[in-house]
Amino acid sequence: MANENVSVWTSIPFWRRSAAWVTGFATMLLIWLSFDTLGQITMGTDADLKNNVTKRVPAPTVINYHIDYKMDAKRGHEIPVIGEKQPFFGKEWSEEEAAQLLHLGKLTSQAKNCMNCHTLLGNGAYFAPDLTKAWLDPAWQAGGPLQGMTGKNTVEEAMAEFLQHPSQYPTHARMMPNLGITAEEAKGLVAFLKHMSSIDTNGFPRNFSKSVETFKAGGTHAQ
């Protein structure tokens, strides 16, 4: 009986070998991506900040620094820029104090279910403004309506006052309810928001600077 030419595409051994190679390659790629991601999201240290070493997730002591958000022409989107030292609630916080304050803020954001209404780093609900870069919203800055409304002189004091007594400062139709946030919890939440604004989120939320320009031209919140 004459031998028949069997197409490689119908060869079971070929597909078995191909599956093994593809699975092996995909596994190695996944391992490499996992290690690369861990390196990207590992929180920096206070020493990094002092030595101007840029980390995607800065140390908790970044709350002691001025934070800006500027366009990076090379990357094609905005990135956080850590500036000079800046008092936070009137003082410079030690590494331990800053870490504890951030921890309190994170726990408070979870306990008060902030993501039931807001988005944090893109996660959560869309009933209220995204809070990823809330610290940078010009409405909270000197001369902004929210800072002026609270009668406070700094961003952190204005935000903390608002968080404790939201019903006293109506901002739009969807008013924030009074969640019984204490003064210390408010400080923690503001620290949490300031730290979150320092995280390099690859330009998220998009066009933030354009919304800032709209606000300065007479629009509403940047968020």
Side-chain angles (χ1 to χ4, degrees), residues 14-117:
F14 167 77
W15 287 112
R16 284 175 177 168
R17 288 194 298 270
S18 297
W21 277 104
V22 170
T23 301
F25 174 78
T27 301
M28 294 301 295
L29 181 61
L30 181 61
I31 292 172
W32 178 81
L33 287 173
S34 297
F35 278 103
D36 180 67
T37 300
L38 285 173
Q40 293 285 341
I41 65 175
T42 299
M43 186 177 285
T45 64
D46 188 55
D48 291 329
L49 290 169
K50 291 177 178 177
N51 295 319
N52 295 318
V53 176
T54 301
K55 291 290 185 179
R56 190 174 288 274
V57 182
T61 46
V62 75
I63 62 175
N64 294 321
Y65 293 79
H66 175 75
I67 300 170
D68 204 348
Y69 201 53
K70 296 182 178 179
M71 175 63 69
D72 184 295
K74 184 176 181 181
R75 293 176 59 179
H77 57 70
E78 296 145 321
I79 61 171
V81 178
I82 312 302
E84 299 297 321
K85 286 281 186 75
Q86 181 183 61
F88 186 69
F89 286 106
K91 60 175 282 187
E92 180 173 344
W93 299 70
S94 69
E95 293 181 63
E96 183 178 357
E97 289 174 330
Q100 290 176 349
L101 192 63
L102 247 66
H103 183 62
L104 172 62
K106 182 178 181 180
L107 291 180
T108 302
S109 73
Q110 294 169 341
K112 302 301 182 180
N113 295 316
C114 295
M115 289 201 300
N116 275 4
C117 295

Side-chain angles (χ1 to χ4, degrees), residues 41-207:
I41 65 175
T42 299
M43 186 177 285
T45 64
D46 188 55
D48 291 329
L49 290 169
K50 291 177 178 177
N51 295 319
N52 295 318
V53 176
T54 301
K55 291 290 185 179
R56 190 174 288 274
V57 182
T61 46
V62 75
I63 62 175
N64 294 321
Y65 293 79
H66 175 75
I67 300 170
D68 204 348
Y69 201 53
K70 296 182 178 179
M71 175 63 69
D72 184 295
K74 184 176 181 181
R75 293 176 59 179
H77 57 70
E78 296 145 321
I79 61 171
V81 178
I82 312 302
E84 299 297 321
K85 286 281 186 75
Q86 181 183 61
F88 186 69
F89 286 106
K91 60 175 282 187
E92 180 173 344
W93 299 70
S94 69
E95 293 181 63
E96 183 178 357
E97 289 174 330
Q100 290 176 349
L101 192 63
L102 247 66
H103 183 62
L104 172 62
K106 182 178 181 180
L107 291 180
T108 302
S109 73
Q110 294 169 341
K112 302 301 182 180
N113 295 316
C114 295
M115 289 201 300
N116 275 4
C117 295
H118 298 276
T119 48
L120 307 175
L121 298 171
N123 299 305
Y126 295 88
F127 183 78
D130 179 271
L131 299 179
T132 305
K133 303 299 179 185
W135 173 264
L136 302 170
D137 190 328
W140 293 106
Q141 309 299 318
L146 293 180
Q147 187 175 133
M149 189 185 297
T150 60
K152 302 299 181 179
N153 298 319
T154 65
V155 177
E156 59 268 28
E157 291 172 341
M159 294 181 100
E161 170 65 19
F162 176 84
L163 289 169
Q164 293 173 79
H165 312 288
S167 60
Q168 294 182 22
Y169 308 106
T171 54
H172 39 63
R174 296 178 178 179
M175 287 180 57
M176 177 176 167
N178 192 330
L179 301 175
I181 296 172
T182 67
E184 282 304 305
E185 288 173 338
K187 277 187 180 180
L189 279 171
V190 176
F192 179 64
L193 291 173
K194 184 172 184 180
H195 180 265
M196 186 161 53
S197 75
S198 73
I199 297 175
D200 186 343
T201 53
N202 285 328
F204 177 86
R206 296 292 175 184
N207 300 318

